[in-house]
Amino acid sequence: MLKPLLFVSAIVLLGVTASSAPGPEPQKAARASASDQKNPVKSAEKSQARAKELYGQECSVCHGETGDGKTDLAKDMGLTLSDWTDPKTLAAKPDGDLFNVIRNGKDKMPAEPVGRAKDDEVRNLILYIRSLAKAQPAAAPETPAAPVAPVAPIAPVAPPASN
Ligand code: HEC
C-alpha cells in the first residue's frame, strides 16, 4: 500500500528539485552583481559630500575654504599652515601620516576624535584635502606646463625696464 505513494512522492520531489535548481539561480546571480556595481559609486559621492561638510565645519576655520591656510584665525593664532592648493605640498606626505595628524592632532592642530569623525570619514577628509590641489591646476604656477610660460616673459621685460 505505501510503496506506490513513496514512488509518487519521490518522483514529485525529484521533479521539483530538478526543475527549480538550474532555472532561476544564474539570473539571480547576474542581477545581484549588476546592482552591487552601482553602490560604491553612490557611496563615494556621498562620503565626499560628507567630507566637504566636515571640512567646512571643523577644518576650514584654520586651513581655509580653499585649503591655502591663509585665514584670519591662523594669523591670530600665529599658525604657519601649509598651502594645500599647491599640489607639491601634500604629494610627499603618505596618507598614514595625514591620518595620524588629523586623528591625534599635532602642536596647535586639534585632534579629531572618533565621536566627530569615524576612521572612514577621516580617510575621506584626506581624499578631500588632496583634491583641493587638483582643483586649480590651471591657475597654479607650478604645473607641468608652467616652466614654459615664465621663461618667455622674463627675457623681453627685463632690458627695456632697466634702461
Ligand atoms: C586650530 C586650527 C586648526 C584646525 C581647526 C585644523 N587644523 Fe589641521 N593643522 C593645523 C596646524 C597648526 C597644523 C600644522 C601642525 C604642525 O605640523 O605643527 C595642521 C596640520 C594639518 C595636517 C598635516 C599636513 C600639513 O599641512 O601640515 C593635516 C592633514 C591637517 N592639518 C588636516 C586638518 C583637518 C582635516 C582638519 C579638520 C578636521 C583640521 N586640520 C583642522 C591647524 C588646524
Side-chain angles (χ1 to χ4, degrees):
M1 285 292 278
L2 278 171
K3 274 183 186 172
L5 270 174
L6 282 173
F7 276 122
V8 169
S9 53
I11 286 161
V12 169
L13 276 174
L14 278 173
V16 168
T17 51
S19 67
S20 67
E25 268 180 36
Q27 283 174 0
K28 269 186 200 160
R31 273 188 211 127
S33 64
S35 60
D36 279 351
Q37 283 169 1
K38 280 186 182 174
N39 287 336
V41 177
K42 275 185 194 160
S43 66
E45 278 169 11
K46 264 191 200 159
S47 49
Q48 274 306 287
R50 168 77 182 136
K52 190 178 180 179
E53 187 184 49
L54 264 177
Y55 184 85
Q57 286 167 355
E58 306 190 18
C59 319
S60 65
V61 66
C62 281
H63 289 282
E65 210 65 56
T66 62
D68 64 4
K70 295 173 180 60
T71 57
D72 291 344
L73 184 58
K75 258 186 232 154
D76 291 351
M77 289 178 70
L79 305 175
T80 343
L81 297 181
S82 39
D83 180 359
W84 298 337
T85 62
D86 181 344
K88 279 189 253 167
T89 308
L90 293 175
K93 303 199 179 186
D95 286 343
D97 289 4
L98 302 184
F99 188 97
N100 288 336
V101 174
I102 296 170
R103 176 59 86 220
N104 305 319
K106 190 182 170 196
D107 299 336
K108 290 187 179 154
M109 156 94 187
E112 183 75 356
V114 184
R116 271 192 282 171
K118 296 183 205 104
D119 283 1
D120 273 358
E121 289 175 320
V122 172
R123 289 189 195 105
N124 275 290
L125 272 172
I126 295 170
L127 282 181
Y128 180 75
I129 63 177
R130 283 195 192 281
S131 78
L132 293 172
K134 288 181 217 145
Q136 26 181 290
E142 285 111 345
T143 49
V148 181
V151 171
I154 286 166
V157 164
S162 57
N163 293 338

